[in-house]
Every structure is written in C-alpha cells, then in structure tokens.
C-alpha cells in the first residue's frame, strides 16, 4: 500500500475508494480527498483548499482521546507454578524445555502466599488484580493453582477489588480435576497450538517425541462440556521461519470453537523474509475472516480486536506492556522478574520472596514510547513502544527498536485501518 505522511497524519492508498488517513494522536480514521493525497507529496503543498482541511484536522486535539499513561503499581502477576513440562516444543523460549535452565517441579505455596499478600495490600479499593498461571506446564501442579486462587479470593473478599485468573497451558492435561479447579476460578484459558496435527505434532511434540495434537483436541472436547463455567477460550499459535502456515492454523482453529485466536511471531525469530511472510499471511487470514463474518469474525483474531478497541475508544497506549511497572513474573523459586522471557536474568530480577524493589519500579515509570524514542512514529499511540524483549533480541538493547517488529506493527495497523473503514461506514 502506498503511504504518505503529513506530521501526525499518515495516509494510505488502498486500491478501493478514497485514500484513507489516520490521525496519530487522536486515533481517528477518515477518508481524505485525492487532492489532499496529491498535496501530501508536493514539495511545497498549497495551504489552501483540500490540504487546508488536512492541516486543520492535524492540528486538532480531540477531547475524546484517553491518555495511555500507566500508573506504577503491580496489577498483573504471572506465576510459574512449575518449571517443568510434559512437552518439548521446538521453539520453547523457557530454556528449551520449560525449565528456564533450572527445573522446579512445584512452586512453594507457603512462600508464595506472603508475596501475594504484599501485592494485594497495595491494590487500592476499586482496583483490579490479574493472575496468570504459567510454567513450564502449569496444569502439572493443579493443587498449587487451587491454593493460590483460594488465597487471593479470601484476601480480596469484602474489598472492592476485581480479581481475574488466566492460564496459559499446552492443553494436554484437561481432566475432571484440573477443569474443576479452573471452573472455580472462572479462568480465562489460552491453549497453545500451532495448527493441525501435521504441523503441531512437529513443533509441539511430547517429551518422548510423540505428537501432542490429539491430546489437545480431546482436552478441548472435555473443556467444551463446561465452557459456560469458564472465562474465555483463546487458541494461541507461535510462528517462525520453520512454520509460517498461519492460514492452515486459522482454518484448524475455526473447527475448535474458541472465542479468540492469537497468531504470534516468535519472540526468538529475527529473519527478514519470514517477517514479511508473516505479515502477508496475517493479511490473508484477515481477508478470509472478514469475508466469512465481517467485523465479528475479524475480531476473533486478538490483534485486530485490540486495535479496533483502541480506535473505538480513542484509547492511547504509551507502554506496549506493563513489564516492570504494573506487571511482574514470579518464577517457581519465588524470584520476581520484569518479563516472562527474562526469568533467570539477574538484570531483570526485581525481588525474591517478600523482598521487592518497589523503588526500581517507580524509577521505571517513564513511558516506553519516550524511552524507546518512538516520538516521531505515527504508530506510537497504538503500539506503545514495542516489546522490550523482542527489541533486545534484535538490537542488543531493550530500548533500541527492532526494525522487523516495527515493520510488522505498522503493516498490520495499515490493514486494521482498512477493515475499520469497511466496518464503520461513517468514518
Ligand atoms: S516500537 Fe516501532 S512501531 Fe512501535 S511505536 Fe516504536 S517506532 Fe513505532
Ligand atoms: S517485554 Fe515483551 S515479552 Fe516481556 S512482558 Fe513485555 S511484551 Fe511480554
């Protein structure tokens, strides 16, 4: 798509109808005239007529825009209840086998509860607290999940705090016992799955080399019997140069009756050709989804849903994630880190047991779009400065942007604007 820019307006020529423009601060999408489009590339644009309207729009600051500033204070905690796994995925970023290089069968719950108390006491009335159970494979220690869940509910009972529980699982261990615990917590469930058996069995084999897909499909059938007692169900695939079969994964996911689908480009991957292919494939499934069921089908794909929400609410984002500000990870040895992929990295360790460096979090409060020098990027308030872990993998520094990440983000935002335009006749 050809693209032109005037200050905080970026415009796209997309082959159908008038050029489409995006206001980077106001998060507004609108058609512009061909005259305005032509003036955008003129060396000395005429400040009259069509271009004048564009400059007026650019200078507006909409009162409906919601600030993306993030207040410091831990509201989300990911807990590695195990650091072992029954699978051995080819791209596992948790040390290659779910252990992060240091296997731990079970988290010590006696040590975990006082840590939780420390965070819960700091949540203001009217606030929220989100816990995500991760591993290794978290359902290898369901009793730990139950004890932690019970404790958080007990500690928040009678207080005006919203608690949400989520789990990221390989989906091979759903049974009566594990599902009963997840139902008690009304947990949102994310199942990792990279596509149909011919793909997923290769990328996500069990430890003894047998494919895991049939176990996941059986588990999802069981889960279906108690769906109404659970939160949302998301299927999550990871893609890299070894597997870019996103269209096949999308087709397979559609047969499994989930609420949402996630197609993530591996945080470990750094290959330019694969990156471009990933964007092409995402564009292909967006077209398929929209043709199949319009906005609602497209929004089953989490990325597009997130962008549509931001545009509908004119909600800016100044931090791609809350890493080290509003979000921490507890490993299975009760150490605290800023990011799931930084478990074990001393530089990103911010505490152990009840000894937590809250001062460091205060010092991290500057928005990522500033720290990462994204002030001139038109995508900044939709992106929030990007994933620090991916930046570090690509450039060696978590605050130095990875070009491939930026390409993916801006390309898929361009795609989003088109479907947003098609879905919102009036914009
Ligand atoms: S990380 Fe890249 S795409 Fe995101 S805001 Fe910064 S420059 Fe823009
Ligand atoms: S830095 Fe990246 S990988 Fe780490 S928590 Fe943030 S988004 Fe996730």
């Amino acid at each position: 798509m050809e693209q032109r820019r005037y200050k905080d307006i970026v415009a796209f020529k997309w082959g159908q109808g008038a050029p489409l423009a995006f206001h980077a601060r106001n998060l507004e999408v609108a058609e512009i005239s061909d005259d305005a489009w032509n003036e955008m590339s003129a060396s000395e644009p005429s400040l009259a007529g069509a271009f004048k309207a564009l400059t007026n729009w650019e200078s507006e600051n909409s009162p409906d825009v919601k600030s993306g500033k993030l207040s410091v204070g831990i509201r989300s905690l990911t807990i590695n209840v195990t650091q072992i796994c029954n699978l051995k995925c080819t791209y596992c970023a948790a040390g290659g086998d779910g252990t992060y290089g240091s296997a731990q069968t079970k988290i010590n719950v006696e040590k975990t509860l006082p840590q939780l108390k420390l965070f819960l006491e700091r949540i203001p009335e009217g606030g929220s607290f989100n816990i995500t159970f991760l591993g290794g494979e978290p359902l290898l220690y369901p009793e730990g999940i139950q004890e932690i869940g019970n404790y958080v509910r007990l500690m928040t009972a009678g207080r005006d705090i919203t608690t949400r529980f989520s789990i990221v699982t390989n989906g091979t261990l759903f049974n009566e016992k594990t599902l009963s615990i997840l139902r008690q917590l009304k947990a949102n469930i994310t199942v990792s799955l990279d596509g149909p058996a011919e793909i997923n069995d290769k990328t996500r084999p069990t430890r003894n080399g047998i494919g895991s897909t049939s176990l996941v499909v059986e588990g999802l059938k069981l889960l279906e019997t108690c769906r109404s007692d659970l939160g949302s169900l998301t299927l999550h695939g990871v893609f890299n140069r070894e597997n870019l079969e996103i269209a096949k994964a999308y087709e397979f996911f559609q047969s499994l009756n989930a609420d949402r689908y996630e197609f993530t480009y591996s945080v470990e991957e750094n290959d330019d050709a694969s990156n471009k292919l990933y964007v092409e494939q995402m564009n292909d499934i967006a077209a398929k989804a929209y043709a199949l069921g319009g906005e609602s089908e497209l929004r089953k794909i989490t990325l597009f849903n997130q962008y549509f929400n931001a545009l509908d609410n004119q909600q800016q984002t100044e931090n791609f994630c809350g890493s080290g500000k509003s979000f921490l990870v507890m490993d299975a040895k009760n150490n605290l880190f800023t990011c799931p992929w930084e478990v074990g990295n001393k530089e990103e360790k911010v505490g152990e047991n009840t000894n937590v460096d809250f001062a460091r979090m205060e010092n991290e409060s500057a928005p990522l779009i500033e720290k990462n020098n994204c002030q001139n990027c038109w995508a900044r308030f939709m992106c929030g400065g990007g994933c620090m872990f991916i930046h570090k993998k690509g450039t060696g520094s978590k605050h130095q942007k990875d070009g491939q990440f930026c390409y993916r983000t801006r390309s898929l935002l361009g795609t989003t604007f088109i479907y947003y335009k098609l879905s919102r006749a009036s914009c």
Side-chain angles (χ1 to χ4, degrees):
M1 260 190 312
E2 194 186 343
Q3 189 178 310
R4 290 183 186 168
R5 183 162 177 190
Y6 170 73
K7 296 186 180 176
D8 260 346
I9 304 284
V10 61
F12 303 87
K13 193 100 168 185
W14 59 295
Q16 289 179 44
L20 205 53
F22 170 67
H23 191 302
R25 299 188 308 282
N26 292 347
L27 310 191
E28 291 163 335
V29 177
E31 283 185 341
I32 59 168
S33 66
D34 284 322
D35 286 348
W37 167 264
N38 292 334
E39 289 289 333
M40 284 178 95
S41 65
S43 52
E44 284 184 34
S46 151
L47 286 176
F51 196 65
K52 178 77 181 151
L54 193 79
T55 60
N56 285 345
W57 183 35
E58 198 287 329
S59 63
E60 277 172 20
N61 285 307
S62 166
D64 297 327
V65 168
K66 283 135 205 110
S67 161
K69 297 223 176 321
L70 196 64
S71 55
V72 173
I74 300 306
R75 295 179 289 282
S76 294
L77 188 65
T78 289
I79 304 178
N80 287 355
V81 286
T82 69
Q83 274 174 211
I84 49 165
C85 193
N86 56 331
L87 300 191
K88 199 168 189 316
C89 306
T90 51
Y91 53 79
C92 176
D97 55 2
T99 68
Y100 298 85
S102 176
Q104 179 82 12
T105 314
K106 294 172 178 178
I107 198 167
N108 182 328
V109 175
E110 285 72 40
K111 284 186 183 173
T112 307
L113 303 188
Q115 286 180 292
L116 289 168
K117 184 165 182 276
L118 194 68
F119 293 120
L120 287 167
E121 281 170 350
R122 289 169 173 256
I123 308 274
E125 294 299 309
S128 61
F129 193 58
N130 305 310
I131 291 192
T132 301
F133 298 105
L134 194 69
E137 171 47 47
L139 288 180
L140 286 169
Y141 188 30
E143 299 83 1
I145 293 174
Q146 183 158 39
E147 283 188 62
I148 289 168
N150 288 348
Y151 179 78
V152 170
R153 287 170 138 193
L154 189 71
M155 289 294 288
T156 51
R159 290 187 63 194
D160 180 18
I161 295 178
T162 306
T163 52
R164 289 184 207 93
F165 298 95
S166 304
I167 186 166
V168 182
T169 169
N170 62 34
T172 62
L173 297 170
F174 292 130
N175 54 43
E176 240 172 76
K177 178 180 174 180
T178 55
L179 283 172
S180 154
I181 292 167
L182 297 175
R183 285 162 64 188
Q184 286 165 39
L185 299 177
K186 201 147 179 65
N188 297 312
I189 297 175
T190 296
V191 173
S192 303
L193 188 64
D194 295 342
E198 74 260 23
I199 295 164
N200 190 67
D201 282 352
K202 286 192 195 124
T203 57
R204 304 183 59 81
T206 59
R207 292 194 76 81
N208 51 21
I210 297 166
S212 62
T213 316
S214 58
L215 290 171
V216 179
V217 172
E218 282 310 305
L220 288 172
K221 278 188 195 150
L222 195 59
L223 187 144
E224 198 57 36
T225 61
C226 57
R227 216 29 207 286
S228 56
D229 297 338
L230 295 162
S232 62
L233 172 63
T234 301
L235 301 174
H236 176 217
V238 175
F239 300 88
N240 58 19
R241 75 180 88 179
E242 309 293 333
N243 170 28
L244 280 164
E245 302 276 15
I246 297 176
K248 281 190 184 163
Y250 176 63
E251 207 175 299
F252 185 54
F253 286 3
Q254 283 175 308
S255 70
L256 297 171
N257 194 30
D259 300 300
R260 299 249 181 263
Y261 317 132
E262 246 166 32
F263 303 92
T264 301
Y265 192 69
S266 170
V267 293
E268 300 277 344
E269 187 56 275
N270 203 268
D271 174 56
D272 203 36
S274 309
N275 195 45
K276 291 198 169 110
L277 213 52
Y278 169 83
V279 170
E280 277 173 30
Q281 293 254 329
M282 287 297 286
N283 285 336
D284 285 351
I285 62 162
K288 276 193 184 127
Y290 198 79
L292 187 73
E295 178 182 342
S296 63
E297 195 62 30
L298 181 72
R299 291 181 72 162
K300 282 190 177 172
I301 302 169
T302 51
L303 181 85
F304 296 114
N305 185 50
Q306 177 199 325
Y307 287 156
F308 266 58
N309 276 337
L311 294 171
D312 277 344
N313 299 316
Q314 291 179 273
Q315 174 64 62
Q316 294 183 344
T317 298
E318 294 191 18
N319 296 277
F320 182 80
C321 70
S323 168
K325 292 186 176 93
S326 62
F327 163 72
L328 290 180
V329 181
M330 186 188 294
D331 76 0
K333 295 180 177 172
N334 298 91
N335 299 304
L336 292 157
F337 295 91
T338 57
C339 161
W341 305 127
E342 295 288 12
V343 164
N345 177 1
K346 286 195 182 95
E347 281 175 26
E348 295 297 333
K349 185 172 167 180
V350 293
E352 58 184 287
N353 300 316
T354 50
N355 185 6
V356 183
D357 190 351
F358 287 106
R360 170 172 165 163
M361 290 175 223
E362 290 289 340
N363 291 337
E364 291 287 330
S365 64
L368 274 186
I369 55 173
E370 282 173 22
K371 285 187 170 182
N372 299 355
N373 283 317
C374 298
Q375 292 93 336
N376 290 324
C377 172
W378 61 259
R380 65 194 180 281
F381 288 124
M382 294 291 284
C383 167
C387 166
M388 290 181 279
F389 185 77
I390 293 176
H391 291 337
K392 193 169 87 172
K393 278 271 165 192
T395 68
S397 161
K398 66 180 180 178
H399 293 310
Q400 201 171 326
K401 297 170 292 274
D402 172 49
Q404 290 181 16
F405 176 91
C406 298
Y407 172 82
R408 283 199 299 281
T409 302
R410 293 191 197 119
S411 303
L412 294 173
L413 272 171
T415 305
T416 303
F417 300 149
I418 290 172
Y419 289 109
Y420 193 72
K421 166 68 200 153
L422 292 171
S423 306
R424 304 282 185 280
S426 61
C427 75

